Amino acid sequence: MADSTPRSWKSYGKLDRDGFIHRSWIKGTGLPDHVFDGRPIIGICNTWSELVTCQVHLRDLAEYVKRGVWEAGGVPIEFPAMSLPETQMRPTAMLFRNLLAMEVEESIRANPIDGVVLLGGCDKTTPGQLMGAASADLPAMVVSSGPMLNGKFQGRDIGSGTDVWRFSEAVRAGEMTLRDFMSAESGMSRSAGVCNTMGTASTMASLVEALGMSLPNNAALPGVDSRRKVLAHLTGARIVQLVKDDIKPSDILTREAFENAILMHAAIGGSTNAVVHLLALAGRVGVDLVLEDFDRIGRESPLLVNLMPSGKYLMEDFCYAGGCPAVMKELGAVFRRQAVTVSGHTQGEIAASAEVWNRDVIATRQAPFGPSSGVWVLRGNLCPDGAILKPSAATSDLLTHRGRAVVFETIEDYHARIDDPDLIVDETSILVLKGCGPKGYPGMPEVGNMALPPKLLQQGVRDMVRISDARMSGTAYGTVILHVSPEAEAGGVLGLVLDGDEIVLDGPGRTLDLLVDDAELALRRQAREAVRQPTAFTRGWYRLYIDTVLQADRGADLDFLVGKSTSDVTRESH
Ligand code: FES
């Protein structure tokens, strides 16, 4: 028979030495006797940090979650989880996504809480927190940071990341002064919140809505909009009810929910990073999601949202145009409308009450901003386990291309040679970067959108085919083939490409091939293995990560973290 005793009551309800210890040391935080009467204890897992603007306001937002929890008869208890400031962490925040996931999972499991509200927003915090909460499988809801206000520079809107790439290419091409470039810095990030483009953070927040793990409008309300505080308050109230109804992530994160996330991803022109994060999350809850699902299901939705980097506008505009519920409405019957959400309403009910307020920002399905979006999944001898390409961010003429490889063995090799005027490269070349996968870097950094050689930029070239085992920023663009699996470090054919090799990309046919025969590849593999050096990372998290990380086609999760531990802990601490 199932044990219906509230989880927290197993600690706070005991009239013995253990109960004394649990209660006494939490009453010391300022909680009175009477709240320990079996009411739900709600954890607020907060990734607040001053290390990045994306999460700097989350302590304030947590207070509004607490109001809602108290109002609904629960007890809010805030606890920290590591912040993953995307623009500050080295070698890459992605190296630590799984560490955050493990921290969140074990914090939820180890502490006497009945449900949890996840406060986060920067690129890797949302997937990390979701993965951990999914593996612990206690009732959970997300309140995201919300985007920054639109960036401003010389009288016009500028977008986080996207305009950094644009401006830096302009400087390299001699079209923008360094002084102007530097003066854009403070106008780009001018309030609390995540990047204001449809980068990874806002993509993931939008997918949280599509997955059903937050209240409506979680993604688009600006970080400093008072309505985000209201959303936090309402989330605090709602999580108490979820606990009473015992609705867990495993009840929400169904196959249908992931299909909705893929549809939303295609409709918003979302970040390529969402592919690895959704695959990893699906692995936690046992949903059999594969790379091709993104291509196949994504095709059901055209590009409906006109936001950078695929389009023109920014997240503030998306909010005022109706946000994710309005996109769900436009998706119509394609959206899996019966999918349940933490709000208590189905996605169909949420979509039915939405409106589109600006057709320049959110299009109709009949007249979309682009015919197809999402990601293309490529296979071939260069990427037998897959690679991805974001067509909405690419140059259409390059989506079918044959060219000769210009190879960089490492990111350091790339930096050392890309500006060399003697580099043998032209606009038909294909830039190939190795050693930037999960194991190789380690952590799979966002370097796949390699900047072009200055001598080509000066000739007016603005895009080239680029291939790597890396990721790229969700704010970036170009004909960039990413997440090549297996990566070079794991023995992938990518590691065997040499300067001058011919590579054929057939985007519409979804293939990517190196025109080198198998016998020659076998010889190259032998030669590569003969000079292979042991890893320099011999201890700590890096070592654990390198030894156990899965490839990008499995979400780059750690092999032993796939699946759930559940929230059961049977032993006492004293
Ligand atoms: Fe945090 Fe972009 S740096 S969301």
Side-chain angles (χ1 to χ4, degrees):
M1 209 168 86
D3 181 359
S4 60
T5 310
R7 195 170 176 274
S8 61
W9 194 244
K10 291 174 184 165
S11 295
Y12 297 134
K14 293 201 260 191
L15 301 176
D16 59 9
R17 186 195 64 176
D18 290 334
F20 179 105
I21 292 171
H22 288 306
R23 283 186 302 274
S24 179
W25 267 263
I26 198 148
K27 283 180 180 173
T29 68
L31 290 169
D33 287 341
H34 72 268
V35 303
F36 297 98
D37 58 358
R39 64 185 79 183
I41 307 290
I42 304 298
I44 300 172
C45 175
N46 198 343
T47 54
W48 170 86
S49 154
E50 287 183 340
L51 279 162
V52 75
T53 187
C54 319
Q55 284 151 188
V56 75
H57 57 312
L58 291 184
R59 274 205 308 208
D60 185 33
L61 213 50
E63 295 306 316
Y64 292 86
V65 178
K66 290 176 190 173
R67 288 186 188 186
V69 173
W70 284 120
E71 180 184 79
V75 180
I77 297 181
E78 187 181 350
F79 63 91
M82 75 185 292
S83 186
L84 302 180
E86 185 68 29
T87 51
Q88 315 298 323
M89 296 188 92
R90 303 169 75 185
T92 169
M94 181 64 176
L95 177 61
F96 307 106
R97 182 201 65 181
N98 300 335
L99 184 59
L100 169 63
M102 200 154 64
E103 183 194 3
V104 169
E105 176 181 349
E106 298 306 344
S107 293
I108 293 172
R109 273 163 53 73
N111 287 300
I113 59 176
D114 300 301
V116 63
V117 175
L118 307 170
L119 286 187
C122 200
D123 296 14
K124 306 305 177 293
T125 51
T126 301
Q129 286 182 296
L130 267 180
M131 288 160 66
S135 285
D137 207 24
L138 271 186
M141 292 177 73
V142 174
V143 175
S144 298
S145 296
M148 301 171 191
L149 299 175
N150 288 1
K152 297 286 177 186
F153 176 62
Q154 295 183 340
R156 66 180 182 90
D157 284 356
I158 54 171
S160 313
T162 304
D163 277 308
V164 179
W165 315 126
R166 219 170 258 156
F167 293 165
S168 65
E169 300 249 298
V171 171
R172 286 162 65 82
E175 296 165 353
M176 185 179 196
T177 65
L178 195 57
R179 188 190 171 94
D180 273 355
F181 179 68
M182 309 282 264
S183 69
E185 279 176 11
S186 48
M188 182 165 285
S189 314
R190 63 190 184 93
S191 79
V194 300
C195 291
N196 54 32
T197 43
M198 189 53 85
T200 304
S202 286
T203 296
M204 291 311 299
S206 301
L207 301 196
V208 161
E209 270 190 72
L211 287 165
M213 287 298 294
S214 73
L215 295 183
N217 295 306
N218 171 64
L221 282 170
V224 295
D225 193 311
S226 59
R227 291 170 294 178
R228 181 157 294 279
K229 293 175 178 170
V230 174
L231 183 120
H233 183 131
L234 296 175
T235 301
R238 179 65 195 157
I239 186 70
V240 174
Q241 192 60 44
L242 280 193
V243 168
K244 289 178 180 167
D245 296 340
D246 195 28
I247 297 172
K248 302 188 288 294
S250 55
D251 299 312
I252 305 292
L253 296 173
T254 60
R255 170 88 200 175
E256 268 191 325
F258 281 93
E259 291 181 356
N260 277 339
I262 292 172
L263 287 163
M264 177 65 75
H265 183 257
I268 61 179
S271 161
T272 48
N273 289 321
V275 177
V276 278
H277 298 323
L278 281 183
L279 287 168
L281 181 62
R284 296 302 183 104
V285 290
V287 168
D288 185 21
L289 200 70
V290 295
L291 263 180
E292 269 72 11
D293 286 328
F294 289 84
D295 203 328
R296 183 178 56 79
I297 298 166
R299 256 177 268 161
E300 295 177 44
S301 170
L303 180 64
L304 294 177
V305 174
N306 188 11
L307 254 63
M308 292 185 202
S310 297
K312 174 177 164 194
Y313 291 98
L314 296 169
M315 285 301 292
E316 215 184 317
D317 309 303
F318 184 47
C319 174
Y320 308 145
C324 289
V327 175
M328 294 176 195
K329 180 169 193 148
E330 280 310 317
L331 283 167
V334 163
F335 211 62
R336 284 40 168 177
R337 299 170 72 83
Q338 294 313 312
V340 295
T341 75
V342 290
S343 71
H345 299 288
T346 65
Q347 294 289 27
E349 289 166 344
I350 292 169
S353 60
E355 293 291 340
V356 178
W357 302 109
N358 186 340
R359 285 295 179 195
D360 283 343
V361 179
I362 302 174
T364 62
R365 285 202 77 197
Q366 293 69 36
F369 297 116
S372 68
S373 187
V375 295
W376 287 356
V377 176
L378 309 172
R379 301 266 174 178
N381 74 341
L382 196 45
C383 52
D385 292 337
I388 64 168
L389 169 66
K390 181 176 177 177
S392 64
T395 302
S396 53
D397 289 350
L398 288 174
L399 290 172
T400 302
H401 185 73
R402 183 178 181 134
R404 294 204 176 271
V406 176
V407 178
F408 302 97
E409 293 294 328
T410 61
I411 193 68
E412 290 77 19
D413 180 31
Y414 163 79
H415 286 307
R417 295 194 293 123
I418 193 65
D419 292 348
D420 184 347
D422 295 329
L423 184 71
I424 299 170
V425 64
D426 65 30
E427 71 274 18
T428 67
S429 303
I430 295 179
L431 304 184
V432 175
L433 175 62
K434 306 176 185 177
C436 296
K439 290 178 186 290
Y441 202 70
M444 206 182 174
E446 295 184 337
V447 296
N449 56 316
M450 291 165 266
L452 306 188
K455 66 180 182 184
L456 295 184
L457 286 168
Q458 282 150 16
Q459 292 166 21
V461 177
R462 286 293 177 270
D463 195 9
M464 294 172 71
V465 177
R466 289 158 269 179
I467 301 174
S468 73
D469 43 16
R471 298 175 300 115
M472 77 170 176
S473 165
T475 62
Y477 52 86
T479 311
V480 185
I481 297 166
L482 303 156
H483 308 188
V484 168
S485 299
E487 62 172 300
E489 181 68 17
V493 170
L494 183 73
L496 310 179
V497 183
L498 297 179
D499 274 333
D501 285 349
E502 271 198 296
I503 294 174
V504 179
L505 164 66
D506 175 3
R510 305 297 198 266
T511 59
L512 180 69
D513 286 295
L514 177 69
L515 301 186
V516 174
D517 63 42
D518 289 347
E520 169 64 16
L521 289 178
L523 288 173
R524 290 185 188 180
R525 188 178 298 283
Q526 269 181 2
R528 186 174 168 87
E529 286 304 315
V531 297
R532 191 182 173 86
Q533 298 292 318
T535 177
F537 303 107
T538 56
R539 66 174 299 280
W541 173 251
Y542 278 61
R543 172 70 187 269
L544 181 64
Y545 182 90
I546 291 168
D547 286 351
T548 61
V549 70
L550 297 168
Q551 291 293 283
D553 63 309
R554 302 278 312 278
D557 202 355
L558 302 191
D559 57 11
F560 64 93
L561 289 177
V562 174
K564 281 188 285 193
S565 297
T566 78
S567 59
D568 293 334
V569 179
T570 53
R571 286 189 165 161
E572 259 298 355
S573 52
H574 296 92

